[in-house]
Amino acid sequence: MKNFPRVFGCLGVLMAVFFVLAVSPSFGVDEKFKQQTKTAIEQFKETDPGLKAFFGKAHGYAVIPTVGKGGIGIGAARGRGLVYEGGKLVGEVKLTQITIGAQLGGQTYSEVVFLENKETMDSFKKGDFALSAQATATAAASGAAANSNYKQGVAVFTMATGGLMYEASVGGQKFNFIPLAK
């Protein structure tokens, strides 16, 4: 019984890693993945029509159609997506997240990160962009965009797609930008 917290924590890490790897797709931009990303964009716009303004006015945005997340005490999330600048596809992005705190379960969700201006976009494209625990994502829902603003040039929206996770944790997300080969 004395080692229960340590065993429970290790088991949580293993489950989170397994879950994230199981739902994380392989890399490579093909037509099927481009279509998945376009479908996610349309779903965001349908869920909250106010997001159309974010898509239209943002200097750039990253769309991660599927993020897999799991955890028991310690959690992890991973996903990949496409990055657009001025409405044109410019690269891929890998999302990685580590969290610690009260959490149990697994889920998948879609995420879009809007980059307000050229400076924020350039920072994102340097290849190592992170959102701290203080950056909060807004759940996409009808009318949510109307009450959302950029914070330090970034606005993040998520949309649950499956699973169930109970969570009161802290952590951050790291984004790795990969430019498209010319």
Side-chain angles (χ1 to χ4, degrees):
M1 205 61 165
K2 185 171 109 179
N3 290 327
F4 182 75
R6 186 174 12 179
V7 170
F8 187 70
C10 291
L11 184 59
V13 170
L14 290 174
M15 283 184 64
V17 169
F18 174 77
F19 178 79
V20 168
L21 292 176
V23 300
S24 183
S26 61
F27 284 86
V29 177
D30 58 15
E31 288 307 312
K32 182 178 177 185
F33 189 65
K34 287 179 185 178
Q35 187 56 50
Q36 288 174 335
T37 304
K38 287 178 186 176
T39 300
I41 291 170
E42 291 308 313
Q43 288 172 338
F44 273 105
K45 290 177 181 178
E46 285 175 22
T47 301
D48 185 353
L51 286 175
K52 291 177 186 174
F54 275 89
F55 280 103
K57 293 180 182 177
H59 185 83
Y61 50 89
V63 180
I64 302 102
T66 304
V67 179
K69 182 177 185 179
I72 298 177
I74 297 173
R78 184 156 172 95
R80 76 176 185 109
L82 298 178
V83 179
Y84 298 83
E85 184 173 12
K88 295 183 180 181
L89 180 62
V90 295
E92 291 181 75
V93 65
K94 292 190 278 185
L95 174 150
T96 306
Q97 176 180 322
I98 302 293
T99 53
I100 189 162
Q103 55 193 315
L104 176 65
Q107 72 177 143
T108 57
Y109 60 94
S110 297
E111 181 170 331
V112 61
V113 179
F114 291 102
L115 305 160
E116 183 177 27
N117 51 46
K118 183 175 178 0
E119 294 76 26
T120 308
M121 185 76 197
D122 289 346
S123 177
F124 188 88
K125 287 168 60 178
K126 285 183 182 173
D128 245 356
F129 189 82
L131 294 177
S132 68
Q134 290 80 22
T136 56
T138 302
S142 184
N147 299 316
S148 298
N149 295 308
Y150 286 98
K151 290 181 178 95
Q152 297 179 334
V154 178
V156 181
F157 292 87
T158 62
M159 185 172 48
T161 57
L164 182 61
M165 187 154 187
Y166 299 98
E167 182 175 22
S169 63
V170 294
Q173 291 186 330
K174 182 175 182 269
F175 298 88
N176 185 12
F177 174 77
I178 304 139
L180 288 181
K182 302 224 177 206

